[in-house]
Structure formats: structure tokens, C-alpha cells
Amino acid sequence: MPKKIINKVVEKKASRKPRNFTRLRGMKDILFEEHKYWDLVERKTRDLARIYGFNRISTPILEKLDMYERSTGKETDIVSKEMYSFVDKSGDKVALRPEATPGLVRAYIEHGMFNHPQPVKMFWFGPCFRHDKPQSGRYRQFTQFDLEMYGEEGPVADSQLILIAYNFFSELQINVQVQINSIGCRDCRVAYIKKLTEFYKERGKRSRLCNDCKKRFLKNPLRLLDCKEETCREIREDAPQIVDFLCDSCREHFIKVLEYLDDLEVPYALNPFLVRGLDYYNRTVFEVVALDEEKSFENKTEEVVEASVESEVEVSEEEVEENEPGNVSGRKLLSLGGGGRYDGLVEYMGGRPTPACGFGIGIERVIMKIKEKNIPLKAEDENILFLAQLGDQAKRKIFALFEEMRRSGYHVRQAFTKNSLKAQLEEANRLNAKYCLILGQKELMDETILIRDMESGTQEVVDFKKIYTEIDKRLKNN
Ligand code: HAM
């Protein structure tokens, strides 16, 4: 047989062989049990957004690549190293969104929202993509909850956003620390960057920097401050602090933000080295980091906890899966959320000058923390009534009863595909049912139904017509 044909036959055979498909690295499936946590957290985001007057907005997952280059910043790690970008079939350069803010600014401009009453307050929830090294709590697809406020330059906006972020975590019983800094405006940064570069040029500090920081020194010296490398952090210790270089109006703004936070009793820690890894920020920047149990907010501190944000130990993909939930010890300061002011971005992206600020919170990390603490979820499955049947006739009758009870608002469950009573009771147990209503041949003939208390195992026969009174009586007594 000619070689070409042999190859074709081999290929065909190979394609018929069963294959195992697994999910991509750094991406996760959210299975049934975990969705309970997602429901809880999503509910909290929606409630807070509603209470504080933020309206929900959604944007496409795919956007133009140059939009991120211009906003997040071409030199940032997110854009230069982590973006999922490609040329689509029409030849457009596009990217899966690595963060929500640029798309929201685009939407604000594109839909003429400067004509709406200001501030425009947006609530956003959705997946983001960053091709980073997967670690425990770091995924390539992850979900963010964002709140953004456009058209308000007063410090009250910054403080309110920080307050909401803080409330979000404390109401979910997660111990956090809010770290805060001001990186000033373009004007005050000029003098600071000059001083900072002079500092790094002194006594061979520059040559000791990591390779990334050597590049940062030339392209974006401010980012030398948030490097995670040990040596770079050591050098940074004596670096000049930007708060000492703030112009009068930036200093006043920052002081006001802190005063509001004090009034609102939101604990925070000043972190003079917090600059955040995105290009668009000015003035207030903040990050919410997870604290270990023993470091609760009882001791309000203005000191920075001595460790870098996200100083996790790198783990393999398998470990990432195994580590969830629980074994994430040693990672005291995992960043759960971050944000700040970005007054120049709307104009820089083609809109009218519009002050803005916001934050983003990583939902997977929040859920990881809730699981770690073993916080019992509020039972959504209270007062479950399980409807069981034996035989065809009973099945038909209980089918109708199920629909009737469901419409009347009872928490009914069933397993009509199972015929054996034992299997149905097992299912009722699994669902944590309070009572099981059992209809068999005998009950059908007598026009009765059996009510079984699933906890005690006691059973009572009641008149089928009185089923609602009997059930209500029992539920009321509990
Ligand atoms: P960010 O700090 O890049 O800020 O991300 C916000 C949060 O998203 C992080 O604190 C973290 O919880 C979560 N996150 C980021 N990357 C990952 C990842 N690979 N896996 C899991 N979670 C992750 C922003 O994205 C800004 N857009 C926030 C903002 C909104 N600033 C103003 N408005």
C-alpha cells in the first residue's frame, strides 16, 4: 500500500480512539457543592450594589486589544505578559478581558453616560482571563466583582468604595486588612520619580535589582516599589515615600479619604509602597488583603504588615486543585481585592474629562477564604418536604401534588425516576428533608397519605385532604 494511504488509515484509526479531554491549566469547573458558596457571594455583591445605588452593567468578554494597551498599560505585566490575545477571522486584534475597568470606561463613553446624572455608579460581575502561572488562588480564568463610580471627584467617593469593599468582607466573616496609599497626580509624581531614580542609582542598588525591575527602572520606576522579589523589597525599605511628595490638593484629598474612613470606623493600614500594577491610577490606591485568624481587626494598626502581597509559594496545578479548600497556610497577605482612583482614564480613552474610581474583588479567592474558615452556610434547604410514591397510580397523584405544593411555595423535592421506597428515602436523607410524604397503594385506596418525620423516623397517617393543615401544623411547631 502506498505510504500516503497507510498514513491516512493510521490517522483515521487514531482519530477513532477514545481520548481524555481535561480542562485547561489554570481554569476550573465549579461543581454542585461549590455553587452554594457562589450563590452566597453573588447574593452579597447584588445586595451591597443595590443598597449603595450601583446599577448592574455587563460588557463583552472580547474587546479590542489596543483598548487594553492604552488603558491598563502596554508595559504592565497584565498586558505585556498575561493577555489572551489573537487575530480574529476579520483580521481584528482582540483580547479576552483581563480586567473589567477598561471595558466599563469604553461603555461609559460609547453610551454617552456623561449625559446621565452624575455620578454614574456601575456594578459588574464576570469572568476575566490572565495567562499567569497558576498558583493556589491564582487562575487563568477568574471572576471579578467590580464597583465603579464616574463623575465624582470628592474623597467621599473613594471612602465609600473602600467602605463597601470592607463591608463585603466583614459581612462574609473574612478577616481582611485594607492597605491604602496615595500615588498623587502627574504633577507631584515628577518630583517623586526623580528622587526615586536617584535613590536607586546610589551605591549600586540598581545592579542588585531583579531583571524585571531593571526594566521597570527605565520604563516605569514607580513599579519598582511593588516588586515581590526579596532583594528588591530589601532595597526598597529605605526608598523615599510618595506621600512626602504630594502636592497640596492631592495631600488634602488623601487626608480627607482617611478622615472619612476613621469616621466610618473602617480600619486601614498605610502602605507607602502600594502603587498597584496598572497604569491608570492616580491619588488613592488600595488593596484588601486576607489576614490570618489571629490577626483580626481588634488592634487597629497603622503599620504595614511586613510581608508582600501575594507572596504565595508556587504550587503545581495538581496542588492547586488539592489545596482547595483549606491548605493555604503561609499565605497571609493574599490580595482579595484592589482598586483606586483613575481620574485621567476616561479622557485618555476619548471621553470628556471625568473623575472616576472603583475596585475589583476576586471571587474565587473570597470563596477559598470562606471555605478555609468552615463558615456554615445559611441553610437554604430548610423545611424540605420530600414526596415519595409507590406504584404507577400513586406516582400520578403525587406528581400533581408536587406541582400544587411547589406553586404554593413549599420547598418540595422528589425522585420520581426511582421506584423503590428505600432509594427515595435515601435521596430524602441526602437532601436533608424534614418530612417525607409517602403515597403507596394502601394510602391511595384509603385517601390518606403518610407523613414521616425524617429526624425521628416516626410516621403518621393523615387524611389526604388535610395534607396542608397537617404539614403547616408540623412546620409551625418547629
Ligand atoms: P487587580 O488587582 O488586578 O485589579 O485585580 C483585582 C482582584 O482580582 C485581585 O485582588 C484578585 O483578588 C483578583 N485576581 C486578579 N488576578 C487573579 C487571578 N489570576 N486569579 C484569581 N484572582 C485574581 C483590577 O483588575 C482592577 N481593574 C480593579 C479596579 C477596578 N480598579 C479600579 N476599578
Side-chain angles (χ1 to χ4, degrees):
M1 216 189 300
K3 208 171 167 191
K4 241 182 174 175
I5 297 177
I6 295 174
N7 280 347
K8 276 241 155 93
V9 172
V10 173
E11 256 172 41
K12 218 171 179 183
K13 273 193 177 160
S15 71
R16 265 195 239 123
K17 259 175 101 184
R19 287 178 57 191
N20 285 330
F21 293 104
T22 54
R23 61 198 189 279
L24 293 174
R25 235 186 131 218
M27 312 239 166
K28 70 187 244 139
D29 296 317
I30 303 165
L31 301 184
F32 315 124
E33 277 304 303
E34 189 171 312
H35 262 293
K36 288 182 191 157
Y37 294 91
W38 282 80
D39 290 346
L40 169 83
V41 174
E42 285 186 52
R43 218 179 307 128
K44 180 58 71 191
T45 63
R46 278 198 302 272
D47 287 353
L48 284 173
R50 196 184 52 243
I51 290 164
Y52 288 100
F54 288 75
N55 292 309
R56 182 135 191 201
I57 179 169
S58 300
T59 52
I61 291 176
L62 269 184
E63 298 262 9
K64 288 182 183 149
L65 171 66
D66 57 6
M67 185 184 84
Y68 294 109
E69 289 176 340
R70 188 157 180 86
S71 52
T72 313
K74 227 174 176 169
E75 302 301 333
T76 58
D77 286 354
I78 295 178
V79 171
S80 66
K81 297 182 188 164
E82 298 164 7
M83 199 116 87
Y84 280 87
S85 55
F86 57 96
V87 179
D88 74 5
K89 291 201 166 83
S90 341
D92 291 326
K93 286 185 186 164
V94 294
L96 295 184
R97 68 172 164 239
E99 54 146 342
T101 313
L104 292 171
V105 172
R106 178 201 46 71
Y108 178 85
I109 300 167
E110 196 170 338
H111 299 283
M113 290 191 210
F114 41 77
N115 291 321
H116 296 190
Q118 307 289 304
V120 171
K121 292 156 90 178
M122 297 180 180
F123 157 44
W124 185 96
F125 191 99
C128 299
F129 301 82
R130 295 183 192 173
H131 195 277
D132 201 352
K133 270 191 209 142
Q135 295 181 348
S136 178
R138 180 182 296 165
Y139 298 98
R140 288 182 175 168
Q141 177 177 337
F142 61 97
T143 314
Q144 268 190 8
F145 154 47
D146 273 55
L147 291 185
E148 313 282 349
M149 210 191 283
Y150 296 93
E152 174 57 66
E153 65 180 337
V156 70
D158 317 37
S159 316
Q160 194 180 47
L161 284 160
I162 296 171
L163 167 77
I164 301 171
Y166 179 70
N167 285 348
F168 172 79
F169 291 106
S170 41
E171 286 167 24
L172 289 170
Q173 298 177 47
I174 303 171
N175 282 336
V176 291
Q177 182 185 58
V178 177
Q179 297 195 351
I180 186 169
N181 193 22
S182 172
I183 56 168
C185 60
R186 215 177 276 161
D187 293 342
C188 32
R189 240 173 289 162
V190 175
Y192 175 66
I193 286 172
K194 189 165 173 282
K195 198 86 188 158
L196 188 69
T197 43
E198 277 168 19
F199 166 82
Y200 276 96
K201 278 182 192 163
E202 282 166 14
R203 289 189 298 265
K205 291 186 192 107
R206 196 173 152 186
S207 58
R208 287 169 53 217
L209 293 172
C210 73
N211 284 340
D212 275 347
C213 277
K214 281 186 180 132
K215 284 186 211 145
R216 284 176 189 141
F217 180 86
L218 298 171
K219 290 185 171 160
N220 188 356
L222 207 58
R223 294 228 36 232
L224 290 165
L225 298 178
D226 72 353
C227 181
K228 316 287 184 298
E229 295 293 325
E230 195 54 44
T231 327
C232 300
R233 282 174 50 213
E234 267 171 33
I235 300 172
R236 183 191 74 177
E237 281 307 294
D238 302 319
Q241 301 190 354
I242 191 158
V243 279
D244 298 326
F245 290 78
L246 296 182
C247 65
D248 287 348
S249 75
C250 286
R251 187 176 316 109
E252 201 181 310
H253 183 96
F254 191 41
I255 290 171
K256 279 262 155 58
V257 172
L258 301 181
E259 280 173 0
Y260 281 129
L261 292 178
D262 289 336
D263 292 347
L264 295 162
E265 297 188 357
V266 175
Y268 56 83
L270 297 172
N271 180 349
F273 301 126
L274 183 68
V275 289
R276 311 252 315 129
L278 303 110
D279 272 3
Y280 45 69
Y281 291 115
N282 68 307
R283 292 193 164 172
T284 319
V285 285
F286 68 96
E287 206 138 275
V288 185
V289 297
L291 286 184
D292 273 354
E293 288 312 282
E294 66 271 20
K295 286 194 182 148
S296 75
F297 261 120
E298 314 255 288
N299 312 318
K300 181 176 165 183
T301 173
E302 303 233 330
E303 281 167 37
V304 179
V305 177
E306 260 322 302
S308 78
V309 169
E310 283 198 35
S311 55
E312 308 102 310
V313 183
E314 202 172 308
V315 289
S316 70
E317 173 72 351
E318 289 69 36
E319 280 174 289
V320 171
E321 314 304 346
E322 276 169 20
N323 272 344
E324 281 187 281
N327 186 14
V328 282
S329 56
R331 296 192 302 102
K332 283 182 187 159
L333 294 180
L334 179 70
S335 169
L336 300 178
R341 192 160 265 289
Y342 50 98
D343 293 331
L345 189 59
V346 177
E347 188 180 7
Y348 191 59
M349 285 178 71
R352 293 186 192 172
T354 310
C357 54
F359 68 72
I361 289 174
I363 300 299
E364 285 77 4
R365 294 185 183 181
V366 170
I367 288 173
M368 192 167 93
K369 285 286 148 196
I370 298 177
K371 283 175 161 183
E372 241 175 85
K373 278 193 78 175
N374 281 327
I375 301 166
L377 293 181
K378 193 169 161 270
E380 277 188 351
D381 48 3
E382 268 174 1
N383 293 338
I384 285 187
L385 305 173
F386 191 92
L387 273 57
Q389 37 69 39
L390 274 172
D392 264 0
Q393 287 287 87
K395 191 181 283 192
R396 285 182 61 180
K397 195 164 175 180
I398 214 140
F399 230 154
L401 178 67
F402 182 88
E403 280 309 306
E404 196 182 285
M405 293 187 87
R406 186 186 64 79
R407 273 187 230 120
S408 310
Y410 291 89
H411 298 172
V412 280
R413 302 285 187 276
Q414 47 76 30
F416 295 148
T417 50
K418 294 186 166 64
N419 289 325
S420 101
L421 185 60
K422 186 167 172 268
Q424 292 180 68
L425 288 178
E426 274 168 11
E427 183 68 3
N429 256 328
R430 201 185 62 78
L431 293 170
N432 216 3
K434 190 140 203 82
Y435 295 103
C436 192
L437 312 187
I438 306 168
L439 192 70
Q441 289 304 319
K442 184 167 183 320
E443 290 78 24
L444 203 62
M445 304 255 290
D446 301 347
E447 301 205 344
T448 56
I449 191 159
L450 243 167
I451 302 183
R452 180 187 173 96
D453 183 321
M454 292 301 288
E455 205 178 310
S456 64
T458 53
Q459 305 193 144
E460 243 181 288
V461 179
V462 304
D463 187 344
F464 192 88
K465 289 195 206 84
K466 292 193 180 148
I467 193 157
Y468 289 104
T469 347
E470 292 291 337
I471 284 294
D472 289 348
K473 193 169 75 192
R474 284 168 176 75
L475 292 179
K476 212 172 160 190
N477 287 340
N478 276 294

